[in-house]
Amino acid sequence: MPVDSNKPLQRVSVQSNHNDTIWNGAAWGAGAGIGAAGLTYGATMHGARGLSNLNYKVAGNKTVREMTRADKLKEKGKPFMSSEGIDAIHEHRMDKADAFSNKMGKVQKAGNFMFGEGPHGSLKRSMVAGATGLLGGMVTGALIDSKK
C-alpha cells in the first residue's frame, strides 16, 4: 500500500462503545435530575400560587359576565337571572375556588418544605433539593447505562 493513500487515518475510540459509559449516563441523569428539581421548584413555589389566584379571578369574572348579561336581558324585556340567583351561583363558585386553593396550599407547603419559605426560599434547602435531584439522576442514569 502506498504511503500517499487518500484514505484518512481512522481514530481509535478510547472509550468503550463510543462514549456510552456509565459516566455518560450519569451526566445525562444529572442533567435530568437538575431539570426535575427546577420544574418542581417552579411548580410548587410559583405555579400553585398562580393557579389559585387564577381560579379566584375566573370565578369573579364569570359572575361579572352573568350580571352584565342579566342587565342587558332586563333592558330588552327578556327573562333574566335574578340577583339572588347570581349571588347563589357566585357563592358556589367561591366555595369551589376555596377548596381548590386549599389543595394548592398543600402543594405549596410541600414546596416550602423542600425549598424553604418565602419568595426565594432557603439557600440551604434549595441546595439539598438540587443535590438530591442531581444524585438521584446520576445514579439512575448510571444504572440504566450500565445495563445496556
Side-chain angles (χ1 to χ4, degrees):
M1 179 180 224
V3 177
D4 58 340
S5 172
N6 60 359
K7 288 185 178 181
L9 294 174
Q10 291 182 349
R11 185 170 178 265
V12 177
S13 179
V14 284
Q15 292 184 339
S16 65
N17 212 4
H18 299 290
N19 203 20
D20 197 17
T21 63
I22 63 168
W23 296 111
N24 193 27
W28 280 104
I34 288 295
L39 284 173
T40 303
Y41 176 79
T44 58
M45 298 298 282
H46 302 290
R49 186 180 322 120
L51 281 175
S52 180
N53 293 341
L54 179 66
N55 202 18
Y56 280 115
K57 183 177 180 179
V58 167
N61 286 348
K62 284 183 178 181
T63 303
V64 169
R65 275 198 320 264
E66 284 176 351
M67 291 168 70
T68 305
R69 183 171 184 248
D71 289 342
K72 287 181 181 178
L73 288 173
K74 186 177 180 180
E75 289 173 5
K76 293 180 181 179
K78 294 186 176 183
F80 61 92
M81 187 182 294
S82 67
S83 61
E84 292 84 18
I86 292 174
D87 288 342
I89 290 174
H90 179 69
E91 198 63 38
H92 175 69
R93 282 191 188 121
M94 293 312 276
D95 289 343
K96 285 176 67 176
D98 288 339
F100 183 77
S101 182
N102 287 339
K103 290 176 187 172
M104 290 297 106
K106 290 177 185 175
V107 171
Q108 199 165 3
K109 283 181 185 175
N112 287 343
F113 175 75
M114 285 187 285
F115 300 105
E117 305 263 345
H120 300 292
S122 165
L123 181 61
K124 187 190 233 180
R125 284 189 182 181
S126 296
M127 287 176 56
V128 168
T132 303
L134 177 72
L135 184 63
M138 284 179 68
V139 169
T140 304
L143 287 174
I144 289 171
D145 221 18
S146 68
K147 299 293 181 188
K148 287 184 180 180

